[in-house]
Amino acid sequence: MALVSSTPMLEKAQKGKYGVGAFNVHSLDMIYAVTEAAADLNAPVILQTTMGTVRSLGPDNIVAAATAAADTYGIPVALHLDHCTDYGLIVQCIRAGYTSIMIDASMHSFEENVTQTNKVMEIAKHLSINVEAELGKVGGVEDDIVVDEQDAQKAIPSECVTFVEQTNVTTLAPAIGTAHGIYTGDPDIDFNRIKEIASLVDVPLVLHGGSAIPNEDVKKCIALGMAKMNVSTELKHAYSKAIQKHFEEDPSGLDPRAYLTKAKDAAKALVKEKIRLVGCDNKA
Ligand code: 13P
């Protein structure tokens, strides 16, 4: 199965009141782990890479691995460029075969965010590529994007309406109090704000900072209208900690098949947990 656009996948989730899991992968091996886990649960899945991962692995290699995984496992797989601030890289990823793009101009003024998003929409709309944009500012660290706690800002509902009208963006990520990375305290999620935004705009909404949000809060966000949940840090940690544990137990166990299998199994378990949490199992 070729890679698919995430737009129909997310519109279906929005209507069905469940979420689609979107997982940040940091190696080609993780692409197979995430897709295999989704296939085990008959779930659609979104593979995501940051700019750093695109630069480290190469867009063509990522697209080739994601396409091979989609073919092998036979479930709907979308490939998304996460938090991109570089227009040139967006064009490169679209050319390589990415089916979904996030243009992150949330650090700029509202007007500049509109302008930059429209520039990406101009190419994406002809190719059925999903475009995600962020309003407000999600706090925390996501690879190259760092937003200090005091600079994080929640999205303003009326601005969400104007933004969608002025850009026709296909997916919106409004900051609602979650943060990238592992929380030091409880996340300050503004559920009323999610409800209000979901009632005002008709595009699927994206929950950023999906790692370590209490399960009940995730379910509430999905019930209120979030249709995509991004998970990066928890997956990266599960994968790497399995390798760390392997070497603690067996410092001379240098066969990559041994430690990478453990890492893959740990990643798969985490992905399955999140897929069940957002309710997209058996929705492929
Ligand atoms: P976490 O690293 O908190 O899971 O956030 C992921 C994310 O939102 C990627 O865009």
Side-chain angles (χ1 to χ4, degrees), residues 49-71:
T49 61
T50 58
M51 294 186 285
T53 304
V54 174
R55 290 183 181 125
S56 115
L57 299 176
D60 293 327
N61 293 328
I62 295 168
V63 169
T67 306
D71 281 347

Side-chain angles (χ1 to χ4, degrees), residues 24 48 82-83 142 179-181 208-211 230-233:
N24 286 61
Q48 321 195 127
D82 195 27
H83 287 285
E142 190 56 55
H180 295 128
H208 275 252
S211 289
N230 290 1
V231 179
S232 176
T233 308

Side-chain angles (χ1 to χ4, degrees), residues 1-267:
M1 201 187 265
L3 295 173
V4 297
S5 165
S6 55
T7 308
M9 202 188 262
L10 294 174
E11 285 173 351
K12 194 174 155 204
Q14 185 188 27
K15 284 196 191 83
K17 293 231 171 288
Y18 60 90
V20 176
F23 301 95
N24 286 61
V25 293
H26 297 84
S27 67
L28 297 181
D29 195 49
M30 285 174 87
I31 289 177
Y32 296 100
V34 171
T35 314
E36 196 174 300
D40 285 353
L41 297 182
N42 193 31
V45 74
I46 300 173
L47 303 167
Q48 321 195 127
T49 61
T50 58
M51 294 186 285
T53 304
V54 174
R55 290 183 181 125
S56 115
L57 299 176
D60 293 327
N61 293 328
I62 295 168
V63 169
T67 306
D71 281 347
T72 304
Y73 296 108
I75 46 155
V77 179
L79 179 61
H80 177 77
L81 175 62
D82 195 27
H83 287 285
C84 194
T85 54
D86 177 346
Y87 182 74
L89 200 70
I90 288 177
V91 174
Q92 222 185 320
C93 286
I94 290 177
R95 279 212 181 111
Y98 274 63
T99 56
S100 182
I101 297 291
M102 176 180 188
I103 163 71
D104 185 356
S106 62
M107 66 294 293
H108 300 295
S109 67
F110 179 84
E111 293 73 22
E112 180 62 16
N113 197 347
V114 168
T115 304
Q116 292 201 17
T117 303
N118 275 330
K119 197 170 163 194
V120 175
M121 283 303 294
E122 205 41 56
I123 19 176
K125 70 183 180 198
H126 301 293
L127 302 166
S128 307
I129 285 172
N130 184 69
V131 177
E132 176 180 327
E134 177 173 319
L135 272 188
K137 292 186 182 75
V138 176
V141 179
E142 190 56 55
D143 223 357
D144 312 287
I145 311 277
V146 181
V147 178
D148 289 338
E149 205 177 322
Q150 68 272 16
D151 294 330
Q153 274 169 23
K154 290 178 183 155
I156 299 164
S158 60
E159 284 194 352
C160 293
V161 178
T162 315
F163 190 83
V164 173
E165 278 171 6
Q166 293 186 356
T167 59
N168 287 319
V169 76
T170 38
T171 318
L172 185 68
I176 45 81
T178 56
H180 295 128
I182 300 295
Y183 298 92
T184 40
D186 279 339
D188 169 32
I189 302 178
D190 189 338
F191 295 105
N192 287 333
R193 195 175 296 254
I194 302 176
K195 193 174 172 188
E196 191 179 350
I197 296 169
S199 73
L200 292 172
V201 303
D202 56 8
V203 295
L205 302 179
V206 183
L207 182 62
H208 275 252
S211 289
I213 303 176
N215 286 353
E216 286 317 305
D217 288 355
V218 170
K219 286 186 185 156
K220 222 164 145 182
C221 291
I222 303 289
L224 289 172
M226 291 287 185
K228 172 182 180 237
M229 180 171 82
N230 290 1
V231 179
S232 176
T233 308
E234 264 191 285
L235 177 59
K236 185 164 60 179
H237 288 187
Y239 187 84
S240 302
K241 279 181 179 171
I243 298 175
Q244 192 175 42
K245 185 163 177 274
H246 168 88
F247 284 111
E248 276 164 11
E249 289 169 359
D250 182 10
S252 58
L254 297 175
D255 183 340
R257 291 167 297 184
Y259 59 81
L260 289 179
T261 301
K262 290 177 186 169
K264 185 178 181 185
D265 288 347

